[in-house]
Structure formats: C-alpha cells, structure tokens
Amino acid sequence: MLCQSGDKPWKALVMPMSWRGGGQKDEFLDVIYWFRQIIAVILGIIWGVVPLKGFVGIAVFCLINAGVLYLYFSSFQQIDEEEYGGTWELTKEGFMTSFALFLVVWIIFYTAIHYD
C-alpha cells in the first residue's frame, strides 16, 4: 500500500484530498507547514551551492516559496481558501519558520563550500 490513512506526507503528494471536517483542516495546515519546510531546505542547499548572495536570493526564495504553495493548494488540492481564512492565511502558514530554516541552511552550505 502506497498511502495509508494516517500517512500525511503520502496523502499530500499522491492525490488531491478532501480536507473538510474538523480534524482535516488542522491536518491540511500541518501538511502546508511541513511542505514549506522541505522547500526551505532544498532551496537553501541550492542557494548555498550555486553561490547566490544578497537580496536577490532572499526575494527569489520568497517568490518560489509562496508561489509553489499557492499552486499546491489552489490547483493541485483545489481547496476552498475561504474555509481557511483566505489565500493570505494559507500563504503565510509557517512562512517565518521556513524563512529562518532557509537562511540557516543557505549560510551553512555557502560557508562550507565557498568560504576561503
């Protein structure tokens, strides 16, 4: 079995789910939060290896992070944003922690590879 009932990551990536109901809303917000953290780690590694610097790196991270999440919940999952307080509430869910994680990973990889 690829997707079991309690397996959030597989449910989130394999198929659009019905995220209605009391516990399902919190579960969907958890999926959004952890999906954003995964994006932060991946982009932090890429930015550190590429050697991207400064405001451009931060701005591109913000655009990609928000854009990918918006496409995920509006196109792939096709949820009603108003059930969660609007598009802005879903877009900012877990953003600051993912931003901090992105910065830490970016700095570590950049320093490890490019510092003289």
Side-chain angles (χ1 to χ4, degrees):
M1 280 181 129
L2 182 62
C3 178
Q4 298 176 357
S5 62
D7 203 3
K8 284 186 232 181
W10 285 113
K11 287 190 335 184
L13 298 175
V14 173
M15 64 186 106
M17 296 293 297
S18 174
W19 297 99
R20 294 187 174 89
Q24 295 292 332
K25 284 186 178 182
D26 290 336
E27 190 173 325
F28 183 67
L29 292 176
D30 288 346
V31 168
I32 292 284
Y33 176 87
W34 288 110
F35 192 52
R36 194 178 289 275
Q37 306 315 308
I38 292 167
I39 292 171
V41 169
I42 292 169
L43 291 179
I45 292 170
I46 293 170
W47 271 221
V49 171
V50 166
L52 219 60
K53 294 182 189 179
F55 180 74
V56 172
I58 293 172
V60 173
F61 166 76
C62 292
L63 291 173
I64 290 174
N65 195 325
V68 167
L69 259 295
Y70 180 77
L71 289 174
Y72 173 73
F73 66 73
S74 67
S75 297
F76 183 69
Q77 291 294 339
Q78 299 174 350
I79 63 153
D80 181 18
E81 294 96 355
E82 295 306 317
E83 291 182 26
Y84 296 89
T87 303
W88 181 246
E89 290 300 318
L90 285 170
T91 303
K92 70 179 186 174
E93 176 70 27
F95 179 78
M96 289 309 291
T97 53
S98 73
F99 182 66
L101 179 61
F102 161 73
L103 288 176
V104 167
V105 172
W106 183 18
I107 291 167
I108 289 171
F109 272 81
Y110 183 88
T111 303
I113 295 170
H114 303 287
Y115 188 72
D116 293 331

